[in-house]
PDB file of all heavy atoms in Angstrom:
ATOM      1  N   ASN W 269       2.670  -2.891  10.278  1.00 97.00           N
ATOM      2  CA  ASN W 269       2.906  -2.160  11.582  1.00 97.00           C
ATOM      3  C   ASN W 269       2.202  -0.881  11.472  1.00 97.00           C
ATOM      4  O   ASN W 269       2.513  -0.024  10.645  1.00 97.00           O
ATOM      5  CB  ASN W 269       4.486  -2.026  11.673  1.00 97.00           C
ATOM      6  CG  ASN W 269       4.840  -1.419  13.081  1.00 97.00           C
ATOM      7  OD1 ASN W 269       4.381  -0.365  13.422  1.00 97.00           O
ATOM      8  ND2 ASN W 269       5.662  -2.180  13.815  1.00 97.00           N
ATOM      9  N   LYS W 270       1.364  -0.517  12.458  1.00 95.00           N
ATOM     10  CA  LYS W 270       0.602   0.648  12.494  1.00 95.00           C
ATOM     11  C   LYS W 270       1.429   1.896  12.733  1.00 95.00           C
ATOM     12  O   LYS W 270       1.097   3.028  12.250  1.00 95.00           O
ATOM     13  CB  LYS W 270      -0.398   0.561  13.585  1.00 95.00           C
ATOM     14  CG  LYS W 270      -1.647  -0.329  13.263  1.00 95.00           C
ATOM     15  CD  LYS W 270      -2.545  -0.636  14.419  1.00 95.00           C
ATOM     16  CE  LYS W 270      -2.562   0.270  15.552  1.00 95.00           C
ATOM     17  NZ  LYS W 270      -3.486  -0.228  16.633  1.00 95.00           N
ATOM     18  N   HIS W 271       2.582   1.761  13.394  1.00 94.00           N
ATOM     19  CA  HIS W 271       3.391   2.855  13.753  1.00 94.00           C
ATOM     20  C   HIS W 271       4.354   3.292  12.620  1.00 94.00           C
ATOM     21  O   HIS W 271       4.626   4.485  12.524  1.00 94.00           O
ATOM     22  CB  HIS W 271       4.178   2.572  15.046  1.00 94.00           C
ATOM     23  CG  HIS W 271       3.355   1.995  16.045  1.00 94.00           C
ATOM     24  ND1 HIS W 271       2.283   2.756  16.764  1.00 94.00           N
ATOM     25  CD2 HIS W 271       3.325   0.734  16.694  1.00 94.00           C
ATOM     26  CE1 HIS W 271       1.694   1.912  17.596  1.00 94.00           C
ATOM     27  NE2 HIS W 271       2.293   0.662  17.664  1.00 94.00           N
ATOM     28  N   THR W 272       4.775   2.269  11.830  1.00 95.00           N
ATOM     29  CA  THR W 272       5.785   2.599  10.823  1.00 95.00           C
ATOM     30  C   THR W 272       5.229   2.436   9.328  1.00 95.00           C
ATOM     31  O   THR W 272       5.870   2.963   8.443  1.00 95.00           O
ATOM     32  CB  THR W 272       7.005   1.689  10.948  1.00 95.00           C
ATOM     33  OG1 THR W 272       6.602   0.246  10.733  1.00 95.00           O
ATOM     34  CG2 THR W 272       7.564   1.767  12.311  1.00 95.00           C
ATOM     35  N   GLY W 273       4.088   1.699   9.161  1.00 96.00           N
ATOM     36  CA  GLY W 273       3.576   1.464   7.891  1.00 96.00           C
ATOM     37  C   GLY W 273       4.379   0.337   7.200  1.00 96.00           C
ATOM     38  O   GLY W 273       4.104   0.107   6.048  1.00 96.00           O
ATOM     39  N   THR W 274       5.189  -0.332   7.872  1.00 96.00           N
ATOM     40  CA  THR W 274       6.052  -1.445   7.301  1.00 96.00           C
ATOM     41  C   THR W 274       5.149  -2.701   7.131  1.00 96.00           C
ATOM     42  O   THR W 274       4.516  -3.064   8.066  1.00 96.00           O
ATOM     43  CB  THR W 274       7.211  -1.725   8.136  1.00 96.00           C
ATOM     44  OG1 THR W 274       7.999  -0.530   8.324  1.00 96.00           O
ATOM     45  CG2 THR W 274       8.049  -2.763   7.492  1.00 96.00           C
ATOM     46  N   VAL W 275       5.172  -3.250   5.994  1.00 97.00           N
ATOM     47  CA  VAL W 275       4.513  -4.554   5.753  1.00 97.00           C
ATOM     48  C   VAL W 275       5.503  -5.680   6.060  1.00 97.00           C
ATOM     49  O   VAL W 275       6.628  -5.728   5.626  1.00 97.00           O
ATOM     50  CB  VAL W 275       4.086  -4.700   4.284  1.00 97.00           C
ATOM     51  CG1 VAL W 275       3.288  -5.968   4.059  1.00 97.00           C
ATOM     52  CG2 VAL W 275       3.205  -3.510   3.878  1.00 97.00           C
ATOM     53  N   SER W 276       5.045  -6.616   6.859  1.00 96.00           N
ATOM     54  CA  SER W 276       5.853  -7.767   7.209  1.00 96.00           C
ATOM     55  C   SER W 276       6.223  -8.540   5.988  1.00 96.00           C
ATOM     56  O   SER W 276       5.410  -8.821   5.170  1.00 96.00           O
ATOM     57  CB  SER W 276       5.174  -8.670   8.206  1.00 96.00           C
ATOM     58  OG  SER W 276       5.925  -9.895   8.411  1.00 96.00           O
ATOM     59  N   PRO W 277       7.602  -8.959   5.841  1.00 96.00           N
ATOM     60  CA  PRO W 277       7.918  -9.763   4.635  1.00 96.00           C
ATOM     61  C   PRO W 277       7.386 -11.188   4.729  1.00 96.00           C
ATOM     62  O   PRO W 277       7.410 -11.833   3.726  1.00 96.00           O
ATOM     63  CB  PRO W 277       9.472  -9.776   4.714  1.00 96.00           C
ATOM     64  CG  PRO W 277       9.814  -9.545   6.146  1.00 96.00           C
ATOM     65  CD  PRO W 277       8.748  -8.666   6.694  1.00 96.00           C
ATOM     66  N   VAL W 278       6.961 -11.500   5.930  1.00 96.00           N
ATOM     67  CA  VAL W 278       6.382 -12.922   6.135  1.00 96.00           C
ATOM     68  C   VAL W 278       4.926 -12.960   5.586  1.00 96.00           C
ATOM     69  O   VAL W 278       4.092 -12.169   5.949  1.00 96.00           O
ATOM     70  CB  VAL W 278       6.411 -13.334   7.575  1.00 96.00           C
ATOM     71  CG1 VAL W 278       5.834 -14.766   7.747  1.00 96.00           C
ATOM     72  CG2 VAL W 278       7.874 -13.295   8.112  1.00 96.00           C
ATOM     73  N   LYS W 279       4.657 -13.942   4.732  1.00 96.00           N
ATOM     74  CA  LYS W 279       3.285 -14.218   4.305  1.00 96.00           C
ATOM     75  C   LYS W 279       2.750 -15.362   5.097  1.00 96.00           C
ATOM     76  O   LYS W 279       3.298 -16.484   5.036  1.00 96.00           O
ATOM     77  CB  LYS W 279       3.220 -14.464   2.779  1.00 96.00           C
ATOM     78  CG  LYS W 279       3.488 -13.175   1.980  1.00 96.00           C
ATOM     79  CD  LYS W 279       3.317 -13.551   0.438  1.00 96.00           C
ATOM     80  CE  LYS W 279       3.481 -12.301  -0.326  1.00 96.00           C
ATOM     81  NZ  LYS W 279       3.343 -12.529  -1.821  1.00 96.00           N
ATOM     82  N   TYR W 280       1.657 -15.147   5.716  1.00 97.00           N
ATOM     83  CA  TYR W 280       1.038 -16.227   6.594  1.00 97.00           C
ATOM     84  C   TYR W 280      -0.104 -16.771   5.724  1.00 97.00           C
ATOM     85  O   TYR W 280      -1.033 -16.082   5.417  1.00 97.00           O
ATOM     86  CB  TYR W 280       0.444 -15.617   7.881  1.00 97.00           C
ATOM     87  CG  TYR W 280       1.552 -15.038   8.740  1.00 97.00           C
ATOM     88  CD1 TYR W 280       1.922 -13.640   8.553  1.00 97.00           C
ATOM     89  CD2 TYR W 280       2.260 -15.670   9.669  1.00 97.00           C
ATOM     90  CE1 TYR W 280       2.890 -13.018   9.389  1.00 97.00           C
ATOM     91  CE2 TYR W 280       3.214 -15.171  10.501  1.00 97.00           C
ATOM     92  CZ  TYR W 280       3.568 -13.865  10.349  1.00 97.00           C
ATOM     93  OH  TYR W 280       4.549 -13.282  11.065  1.00 97.00           O
ATOM     94  N   LEU W 281       0.068 -18.040   5.336  1.00 98.00           N
ATOM     95  CA  LEU W 281      -0.892 -18.701   4.443  1.00 98.00           C
ATOM     96  C   LEU W 281      -1.852 -19.586   5.245  1.00 98.00           C
ATOM     97  O   LEU W 281      -1.592 -20.102   6.257  1.00 98.00           O
ATOM     98  CB  LEU W 281      -0.113 -19.565   3.487  1.00 98.00           C
ATOM     99  CG  LEU W 281       0.975 -18.849   2.667  1.00 98.00           C
ATOM    100  CD1 LEU W 281       1.778 -19.838   1.799  1.00 98.00           C
ATOM    101  CD2 LEU W 281       0.469 -17.707   1.863  1.00 98.00           C
ATOM    102  N   ALA W 282      -3.043 -19.819   4.652  1.00 97.00           N
ATOM    103  CA  ALA W 282      -4.028 -20.675   5.179  1.00 97.00           C
ATOM    104  C   ALA W 282      -4.740 -21.246   4.007  1.00 97.00           C
ATOM    105  O   ALA W 282      -4.678 -20.747   2.847  1.00 97.00           O
ATOM    106  CB  ALA W 282      -4.961 -19.969   6.134  1.00 97.00           C
ATOM    107  N   LYS W 283      -5.482 -22.297   4.229  1.00 97.00           N
ATOM    108  CA  LYS W 283      -6.293 -22.930   3.154  1.00 97.00           C
ATOM    109  C   LYS W 283      -7.377 -21.896   2.676  1.00 97.00           C
ATOM    110  O   LYS W 283      -7.657 -20.933   3.464  1.00 97.00           O
ATOM    111  CB  LYS W 283      -6.854 -24.202   3.597  1.00 97.00           C
ATOM    112  CG  LYS W 283      -8.039 -24.039   4.653  1.00 97.00           C
ATOM    113  CD  LYS W 283      -8.615 -25.449   4.915  1.00 97.00           C
ATOM    114  CE  LYS W 283      -9.875 -25.304   5.915  1.00 97.00           C
ATOM    115  NZ  LYS W 283     -10.493 -26.581   6.154  1.00 97.00           N
ATOM    116  N   PRO W 284      -7.964 -22.101   1.539  1.00 96.00           N
ATOM    117  CA  PRO W 284      -8.953 -21.128   1.103  1.00 96.00           C
ATOM    118  C   PRO W 284     -10.055 -21.008   1.992  1.00 96.00           C
ATOM    119  O   PRO W 284     -10.706 -21.927   2.549  1.00 96.00           O
ATOM    120  CB  PRO W 284      -9.410 -21.744  -0.300  1.00 96.00           C
ATOM    121  CG  PRO W 284      -8.289 -22.668  -0.742  1.00 96.00           C
ATOM    122  CD  PRO W 284      -7.728 -23.145   0.579  1.00 96.00           C
ATOM    123  N   LEU W 285     -10.452 -19.668   2.313  1.00 96.00           N
ATOM    124  CA  LEU W 285     -11.591 -19.390   3.174  1.00 96.00           C
ATOM    125  C   LEU W 285     -12.211 -18.077   2.699  1.00 96.00           C
ATOM    126  O   LEU W 285     -11.597 -17.371   1.931  1.00 96.00           O
ATOM    127  CB  LEU W 285     -11.143 -19.374   4.628  1.00 96.00           C
ATOM    128  CG  LEU W 285     -10.149 -18.324   5.139  1.00 96.00           C
ATOM    129  CD1 LEU W 285     -10.755 -16.925   5.265  1.00 96.00           C
ATOM    130  CD2 LEU W 285      -9.463 -18.766   6.377  1.00 96.00           C
ATOM    131  N   ALA W 286     -13.404 -17.899   3.196  1.00 94.00           N
ATOM    132  CA  ALA W 286     -14.103 -16.618   2.925  1.00 94.00           C
ATOM    133  C   ALA W 286     -14.500 -16.002   4.200  1.00 94.00           C
ATOM    134  O   ALA W 286     -15.061 -16.707   5.124  1.00 94.00           O
ATOM    135  CB  ALA W 286     -15.355 -16.815   1.999  1.00 94.00           C
ATOM    136  N   THR W 287     -14.275 -14.757   4.433  1.00 95.00           N
ATOM    137  CA  THR W 287     -14.657 -14.051   5.629  1.00 95.00           C
ATOM    138  C   THR W 287     -15.213 -12.618   5.362  1.00 95.00           C
ATOM    139  O   THR W 287     -14.712 -11.931   4.497  1.00 95.00           O
ATOM    140  CB  THR W 287     -13.385 -13.937   6.599  1.00 95.00           C
ATOM    141  OG1 THR W 287     -13.789 -13.202   7.766  1.00 95.00           O
ATOM    142  CG2 THR W 287     -12.257 -13.263   6.000  1.00 95.00           C
ATOM    143  N   PHE W 288     -16.208 -12.350   6.078  1.00 94.00           N
ATOM    144  CA  PHE W 288     -16.813 -10.956   6.077  1.00 94.00           C
ATOM    145  C   PHE W 288     -16.325 -10.188   7.260  1.00 94.00           C
ATOM    146  O   PHE W 288     -15.911  -9.010   7.172  1.00 94.00           O
ATOM    147  CB  PHE W 288     -18.372 -11.057   6.048  1.00 94.00           C
ATOM    148  CG  PHE W 288     -18.885 -11.345   4.693  1.00 94.00           C
ATOM    149  CD1 PHE W 288     -19.353 -12.638   4.346  1.00 94.00           C
ATOM    150  CD2 PHE W 288     -19.059 -10.361   3.758  1.00 94.00           C
ATOM    151  CE1 PHE W 288     -19.868 -12.914   3.084  1.00 94.00           C
ATOM    152  CE2 PHE W 288     -19.612 -10.570   2.498  1.00 94.00           C
ATOM    153  CZ  PHE W 288     -20.020 -11.842   2.147  1.00 94.00           C
ATOM    154  N   HIS W 289     -16.443 -10.797   8.416  1.00 96.00           N
ATOM    155  CA  HIS W 289     -16.234 -10.067   9.708  1.00 96.00           C
ATOM    156  C   HIS W 289     -15.209 -10.743  10.613  1.00 96.00           C
ATOM    157  O   HIS W 289     -15.257 -11.919  10.782  1.00 96.00           O
ATOM    158  CB  HIS W 289     -17.595  -9.919  10.395  1.00 96.00           C
ATOM    159  CG  HIS W 289     -18.594  -9.216   9.688  1.00 96.00           C
ATOM    160  ND1 HIS W 289     -19.681  -9.930   9.095  1.00 96.00           N
ATOM    161  CD2 HIS W 289     -18.815  -7.922   9.366  1.00 96.00           C
ATOM    162  CE1 HIS W 289     -20.450  -9.038   8.443  1.00 96.00           C
ATOM    163  NE2 HIS W 289     -19.922  -7.813   8.566  1.00 96.00           N
ATOM    164  N   GLN W 290     -14.295  -9.888  11.114  1.00 97.00           N
ATOM    165  CA  GLN W 290     -13.360 -10.400  12.138  1.00 97.00           C
ATOM    166  C   GLN W 290     -13.973 -10.085  13.522  1.00 97.00           C
ATOM    167  O   GLN W 290     -14.751  -9.150  13.604  1.00 97.00           O
ATOM    168  CB  GLN W 290     -12.014  -9.724  11.994  1.00 97.00           C
ATOM    169  CG  GLN W 290     -11.253 -10.276  10.776  1.00 97.00           C
ATOM    170  CD  GLN W 290     -11.799  -9.774   9.460  1.00 97.00           C
ATOM    171  OE1 GLN W 290     -11.920  -8.544   9.258  1.00 97.00           O
ATOM    172  NE2 GLN W 290     -12.107 -10.604   8.562  1.00 97.00           N
ATOM    173  N   ILE W 291     -13.613 -10.896  14.483  1.00 98.00           N
ATOM    174  CA  ILE W 291     -14.180 -10.694  15.804  1.00 98.00           C
ATOM    175  C   ILE W 291     -13.255  -9.839  16.686  1.00 98.00           C
ATOM    176  O   ILE W 291     -13.679  -8.830  17.218  1.00 98.00           O
ATOM    177  CB  ILE W 291     -14.369 -12.143  16.530  1.00 98.00           C
ATOM    178  CG1 ILE W 291     -15.239 -13.018  15.699  1.00 98.00           C
ATOM    179  CG2 ILE W 291     -14.963 -11.918  17.913  1.00 98.00           C
ATOM    180  CD1 ILE W 291     -15.245 -14.472  16.091  1.00 98.00           C
ATOM    181  N   ASN W 292     -12.032 -10.243  16.727  1.00 98.00           N
ATOM    182  CA  ASN W 292     -10.970  -9.445  17.564  1.00 98.00           C
ATOM    183  C   ASN W 292      -9.598  -9.988  17.137  1.00 98.00           C
ATOM    184  O   ASN W 292      -9.468 -10.973  16.529  1.00 98.00           O
ATOM    185  CB  ASN W 292     -11.263  -9.593  19.000  1.00 98.00           C
ATOM    186  CG  ASN W 292     -10.605  -8.531  19.811  1.00 98.00           C
ATOM    187  OD1 ASN W 292     -10.053  -7.542  19.347  1.00 98.00           O
ATOM    188  ND2 ASN W 292     -10.596  -8.687  21.234  1.00 98.00           N
ATOM    189  N   ALA W 293      -8.605  -9.154  17.542  1.00 98.00           N
ATOM    190  CA  ALA W 293      -7.228  -9.582  17.301  1.00 98.00           C
ATOM    191  C   ALA W 293      -6.394  -8.983  18.447  1.00 98.00           C
ATOM    192  O   ALA W 293      -6.656  -7.865  18.909  1.00 98.00           O
ATOM    193  CB  ALA W 293      -6.640  -9.095  16.022  1.00 98.00           C
ATOM    194  N   PHE W 294      -5.423  -9.709  18.977  1.00 98.00           N
ATOM    195  CA  PHE W 294      -4.586  -9.284  20.068  1.00 98.00           C
ATOM    196  C   PHE W 294      -3.187  -9.988  20.043  1.00 98.00           C
ATOM    197  O   PHE W 294      -3.008 -11.031  19.500  1.00 98.00           O
ATOM    198  CB  PHE W 294      -5.256  -9.433  21.440  1.00 98.00           C
ATOM    199  CG  PHE W 294      -5.575 -10.838  21.722  1.00 98.00           C
ATOM    200  CD1 PHE W 294      -4.603 -11.728  22.441  1.00 98.00           C
ATOM    201  CD2 PHE W 294      -6.752 -11.386  21.463  1.00 98.00           C
ATOM    202  CE1 PHE W 294      -5.029 -13.000  22.739  1.00 98.00           C
ATOM    203  CE2 PHE W 294      -7.180 -12.715  21.695  1.00 98.00           C
ATOM    204  CZ  PHE W 294      -6.283 -13.513  22.408  1.00 98.00           C
ATOM    205  N   GLU W 295      -2.200  -9.304  20.637  1.00 97.00           N
ATOM    206  CA  GLU W 295      -0.909  -9.849  20.696  1.00 97.00           C
ATOM    207  C   GLU W 295      -0.580 -10.390  22.122  1.00 97.00           C
ATOM    208  O   GLU W 295      -0.958  -9.753  23.096  1.00 97.00           O
ATOM    209  CB  GLU W 295       0.150  -8.732  20.360  1.00 97.00           C
ATOM    210  CG  GLU W 295      -0.037  -8.161  18.989  1.00 97.00           C
ATOM    211  CD  GLU W 295       0.498  -6.738  18.849  1.00 97.00           C
ATOM    212  OE1 GLU W 295       1.631  -6.555  19.311  1.00 97.00           O
ATOM    213  OE2 GLU W 295      -0.110  -5.873  18.319  1.00 97.00           O
ATOM    214  N   GLU W 296       0.079 -11.533  22.139  1.00 96.00           N
ATOM    215  CA  GLU W 296       0.428 -12.118  23.424  1.00 96.00           C
ATOM    216  C   GLU W 296       1.636 -13.125  23.325  1.00 96.00           C
ATOM    217  O   GLU W 296       1.570 -13.972  22.374  1.00 96.00           O
ATOM    218  CB  GLU W 296      -0.812 -12.894  23.959  1.00 96.00           C
ATOM    219  CG  GLU W 296      -0.731 -13.293  25.434  1.00 96.00           C
ATOM    220  CD  GLU W 296      -2.104 -13.813  25.850  1.00 96.00           C
ATOM    221  OE1 GLU W 296      -2.419 -14.950  25.498  1.00 96.00           O
ATOM    222  OE2 GLU W 296      -2.693 -13.142  26.695  1.00 96.00           O
ATOM    223  N   ASP W 297       2.688 -12.834  24.011  1.00 94.00           N
ATOM    224  CA  ASP W 297       3.834 -13.708  23.957  1.00 94.00           C
ATOM    225  C   ASP W 297       4.445 -13.964  22.559  1.00 94.00           C
ATOM    226  O   ASP W 297       4.611 -15.103  22.103  1.00 94.00           O
ATOM    227  CB  ASP W 297       3.551 -15.083  24.587  1.00 94.00           C
ATOM    228  CG  ASP W 297       3.125 -15.027  26.060  1.00 94.00           C
ATOM    229  OD1 ASP W 297       3.531 -14.130  26.775  1.00 94.00           O
ATOM    230  OD2 ASP W 297       2.203 -15.773  26.484  1.00 94.00           O
TER     231      ASP W 297
END
């Protein structure tokens, strides 16, 4: 959370991947 610095206790897992660049991120519903 950018406003509080709190790290979510939920870990969101995905299969192994490699990434250099993100395109965008947004919140909705």
Side-chain angles (χ1 to χ4, degrees):
N269 187 300
K270 284 167 25 181
H271 312 294
T272 66
T274 304
V275 182
S276 171
V278 180
K279 288 184 177 179
Y280 301 88
L281 308 176
K283 70 177 186 177
L285 62 80
T287 178
F288 280 100
H289 301 105
Q290 288 72 56
I291 305 168
N292 198 7
F294 59 90
E295 301 157 45
E296 196 172 68
D297 299 328

